[in-house]
Amino acid sequence: MIQAQSLTKHYGSKTAVDAVDFVVQPGKVTGFLGPNGAGKSTTMRMIVGLDRPSAGSVIVNGKPYHEHKAPLREVGVLLDATAVHTGRSAYNHLRAMAATHNIPTSRVHEVINLTGLESVARKRAGGFSLGMGQRLGIAAALLGDPATLILDEPVNGLDPEGVQWVRKLTRQLAAEGRTVLLSSHLMSEMALTADHLIVLGRGRVIADASVADIIASAAQNTVRVRTPHTAALATLLAQTDVTITNIEQDVLEISGLTVSEIGECAAAAQISLHELSAVSASLEDAYMKLTQNEVEYRTGDASSPTEAEAAR
Amino acid sequence: MSTVAHPTPPSTARTSFASTGSGLSFTGLLRSESIKLWSLRSTYWTFSLVVVAALGIAVLMSFAMSAGYDPATGAAMGIDTAQMFVIVSTSGLSLGQLIVAVLGVLSISGEYSSGMIKSTFSAVPNRLPALWAKVCVLFGFTFVVGLVSVIGSYLVAIPILGAKDITANLFDVDVILPLLGNVLFLALIAVFAIGIGTIVRSSAGGIATVLGIILLLPTVVGLFSMLVGWVADIVPFMFTVAGSEMITPNTMESWQAFLVVLAWVAVSLGTAALLLKRRDA
């Protein structure tokens, strides 16, 4: 369990994390989302004491991280795949990490097997691909068989098999009752992996709810209708709380009504329908809606900077 | 009465999964740091270079000294045979001093530049024990390598100097103490360099700083003393000058010079410890 209270971090005049409060529960995979620069990595670094909070506090498994007698057995952390000396082999890196906690070498072999690193374990980590580096980072995080895992973008650079493996692994670890905090920018993957989401935007928590609730609250389900009589149907269905968008010449996207309501209405008015299907909102839609005003580094296609400045 | 097994229901919210295992310990940290040291190729070649440089220079010095030695007049150049052996056995270490200084800086700056420091500090969140373990391990191994260098140098000098009937017993206090003093100073340079590397957090900057203090500072201060008289008084307090005064006292006693050396090491490590604790990793 991770509990943050008014956790704050300033870098000079910039506030990276702004008085966030959250609890990461055991037994679940908690997804940590947010645009680049939202403060996810900084928050993770503060949890394990690599960065000192400017204000507030965060405790893991009941104590500040540095007060634990066996930190690696409490929390396994993957912050980025470069936390390894490039001149050292994966095996020796893990052995050096294990030695600090008197973790036996047999456990080093276990995590090497678990992460599929057997064939490259004796090679210098500097020559690893991003994916191999990620596997080594995950192996290091698992060394102490910790009750809490913090993984910052673990699937970044992994092949599809690796992505699926991380999904299964994190689900399994959570099912064992562990606390799993996971960040990723892959919304489709997050939708499959996480139970609960904490969304950061510009250093603040902008959502903290289950995946289903976040999708339901932030993005509406729509119904897609294909009919030659779009104008007639649109007029028929028009009422408050119903949004109708003509997305193609003969296709309408309707929100605010169910599939059956639209079907019955069309049948009563004898309007022929060629397609009638529910389009469920994706996590990606919900996320985009949640964070549209929270993006720190936006690409230039939406609006030019001058327009954005003028709008303020 | 039959015994019924009551399996404890699987806990859904355990907070500790490995309560039986042991945690952080200083011996563990020492082991971790020696694994780190010996799992890098650079350690092997730097330490080898220290020994090879010492032995090579010992051979050259032995021949040079025996060539200039006239058995009829006895001790040449105003030095006795014990001193000859000490000079021959320790001259090469001055090169070794530069090598271990670089090694000391790299042992910590390499962790910063590669990102390893994040792994180190997440395993040892209080940070200082990891620094002290690194200091102990590098001090110990550098001491051993220094010892191998000076005793090896003494051994290669025996046949060369012996050809001119120059002999000295290794365990003569006039031989063994200066040798041990040189080895101790070598190991302290490595430790001093760890401190500088921790403060600077960059390999290039750390190496430049340490070599500047070892090589340049005594010369610069010496030059200033020609302009400003009282500056001459602080020359003996320079790190390397004090290091050599530990072995051949000139302006102060050996123990005083040793304290000066320790002060340099203490300031370096003390500042390093303070910054390590305060800065974000």
Side-chain angles (χ1 to χ4, degrees):
Chain A
M1 181 138 86
I2 304 168
Q3 294 154 286
Q5 235 180 14
S6 315
L7 191 63
T8 304
K9 181 70 185 178
H10 305 292
Y11 291 112
S13 60
K14 191 172 155 47
T15 302
V17 179
D18 191 1
V20 300
D21 292 278
F22 61 80
V23 175
V24 183
Q25 300 282 0
K28 287 181 193 171
V29 175
T30 301
F32 207 30
L33 304 182
N36 290 328
K40 304 184 297 292
S41 296
T42 305
T43 302
M44 287 175 157
R45 289 167 60 84
M46 284 193 285
I47 297 171
V48 292
L50 290 177
D51 281 5
R52 177 193 295 267
S54 308
S57 64
V58 59
I59 58 174
V60 198
N61 304 343
K63 282 183 198 172
Y65 182 66
H66 67 91
E67 285 180 13
H68 284 291
K69 296 259 183 292
L72 287 187
R73 296 187 188 278
E74 297 292 338
V75 182
V77 60
L78 164 76
L79 286 176
D80 53 55
T82 64
V84 181
H85 198 296
T86 43
R88 198 171 281 130
S89 71
Y91 173 67
N92 282 324
H93 171 71
L94 293 171
R95 229 160 45 93
M97 294 288 289
T100 60
H101 283 59
N102 299 302
I103 294 167
T105 312
S106 58
R107 178 64 185 164
V108 171
H109 290 288
E110 261 173 49
V111 295
I112 285 174
N113 292 335
L114 194 66
T115 50
L117 284 171
E118 300 94 331
S119 59
V120 295
R122 303 276 174 172
K123 296 209 171 92
R124 282 157 43 110
F128 278 18
S129 65
L130 181 56
M132 282 300 173
Q134 291 286 21
R135 286 168 188 267
L136 176 54
I138 294 169
L142 294 173
L143 257 186
D145 194 23
T148 298
L149 273 128
I150 297 173
L151 308 173
D152 195 1
E153 301 194 33
V155 300
N156 190 12
L158 284 185
D159 53 23
E161 183 271 332
V163 172
Q164 195 180 50
W165 169 72
V166 169
R167 185 198 311 152
K168 285 181 181 160
L169 177 75
T170 49
R171 302 264 353 130
Q172 182 203 325
L173 292 169
E176 289 167 13
R178 295 176 214 252
T179 307
V180 182
L181 181 64
L182 178 80
S183 83
S184 175
H185 289 301
L186 295 179
M187 290 304 136
S188 52
E189 191 50 39
M190 196 55 103
L192 291 172
T193 311
D195 304 295
H196 193 91
L197 294 176
I198 296 172
V199 185
L200 290 189
R202 297 196 188 182
R204 279 186 291 266
V205 175
I206 56 177
D208 184 347
S210 72
V211 175
D213 286 352
I214 283 188
I215 294 176
S217 67
Q220 280 181 297
N221 289 334
T222 57
V223 178
R224 181 184 163 90
V225 184
R226 185 184 294 272
T227 170
H229 316 289
T230 48
L233 185 64
T235 319
L236 182 69
L237 296 175
Q239 52 176 286
T240 44
D241 299 339
V242 175
T243 323
I244 300 167
T245 323
N246 207 337
I247 57 169
E248 277 173 49
Q249 205 197 340
D250 56 349
V251 178
L252 293 176
E253 203 165 73
I254 301 166
S255 61
L257 289 171
T258 63
V259 172
S260 47
E261 283 165 350
I262 295 168
E264 291 300 331
C265 264
Q270 296 195 315
I271 294 172
S272 58
L273 301 183
H274 297 173
E275 182 188 340
L276 176 64
S277 57
V279 181
S280 52
S282 69
L283 178 59
E284 187 164 352
D285 299 331
Y287 171 81
M288 290 301 186
K289 213 161 231 172
L290 268 173
T291 58
Q292 58 189 356
N293 297 319
E294 308 289 343
V295 178
E296 182 119 3
Y297 308 105
R298 190 192 296 277
T299 45
D301 59 7
S303 61
S304 68
T306 44
E307 282 168 1
E309 286 300 320
R312 280 184 193 172
Chain B
M1 190 174 147
S2 65
T3 48
V4 182
H6 291 288
T8 46
S11 164
T12 53
R14 287 184 289 173
T15 53
S16 185
F17 281 79
S19 51
T20 51
S22 52
L24 277 173
S25 69
F26 196 69
T27 52
L29 292 185
L30 290 176
R31 216 149 39 81
S32 174
E33 288 299 331
S34 34
I35 292 169
K36 282 189 197 171
L37 184 68
W38 293 107
S39 57
L40 292 178
R41 280 184 222 162
S42 55
T43 305
Y44 291 88
W45 62 255
T46 38
F47 276 153
S48 306
L49 209 57
V50 172
V51 177
V52 168
L55 297 183
I57 290 172
V59 170
L60 288 174
M61 290 285 286
S62 303
F63 278 117
M65 284 208 158
S66 67
Y69 182 80
D70 182 1
T73 55
M77 296 166 276
I79 53 172
D80 60 30
T81 56
Q83 280 174 306
M84 286 177 83
F85 268 94
V86 170
I87 291 170
V88 160
S89 310
T90 59
S91 293
L93 275 198
S94 50
L95 189 58
Q97 287 176 355
L98 305 183
I99 299 169
V100 300
V102 171
L103 183 65
V105 170
L106 289 179
S107 74
I108 183 79
S109 67
E111 294 212 16
Y112 276 103
S113 61
S114 65
M116 177 69 195
I117 200 77
K118 286 174 267 182
S119 297
T120 302
F121 287 164
S122 55
V124 192
N126 286 321
R127 301 184 183 181
L128 292 188
L131 177 67
W132 304 140
K134 196 180 278 298
V135 164
C136 292
V137 164
L138 196 65
F139 179 88
F141 284 114
T142 308
F143 195 91
V144 171
V145 168
L147 209 57
V148 169
S149 301
V150 294
I151 290 176
S153 299
Y154 168 84
L155 293 176
V156 300
I158 287 177
I160 304 168
L161 294 176
K164 290 266 178 113
D165 288 331
I166 310 166
T167 55
N169 185 348
L170 175 62
F171 296 103
D172 185 337
V173 286
D174 289 339
V175 177
I176 193 72
L177 283 185
L179 293 194
L180 288 178
N182 270 289
V183 172
L184 178 64
F185 185 52
L186 183 79
L188 287 174
I189 285 178
V191 167
F192 173 76
I194 294 179
I196 299 293
T198 310
I199 295 166
V200 178
R201 292 193 289 187
S202 114
S203 301
I207 291 169
T209 308
V210 172
L211 294 189
I213 290 170
I214 292 177
L215 291 175
L216 232 51
L217 201 58
T219 317
V220 171
V221 174
L223 286 174
F224 264 105
S225 69
M226 293 176 185
L227 302 171
V228 188
W230 62 265
V231 174
D233 296 338
I234 64 166
V235 171
F237 293 94
M238 295 301 102
F239 187 44
T240 25
V241 179
S244 66
E245 292 231 359
M246 264 168 67
I247 297 127
T248 42
N250 183 22
T251 59
M252 58 176 119
E253 298 289 323
S254 285
W255 65 268
Q256 289 170 320
F258 180 55
L259 288 183
V260 172
V261 167
L262 284 187
W264 277 89
V265 174
V267 168
S268 166
L269 287 180
T271 312
L274 203 70
L275 291 175
L276 203 66
K277 209 56 184 161
R278 291 208 342 215
R279 285 192 297 215
D280 288 340

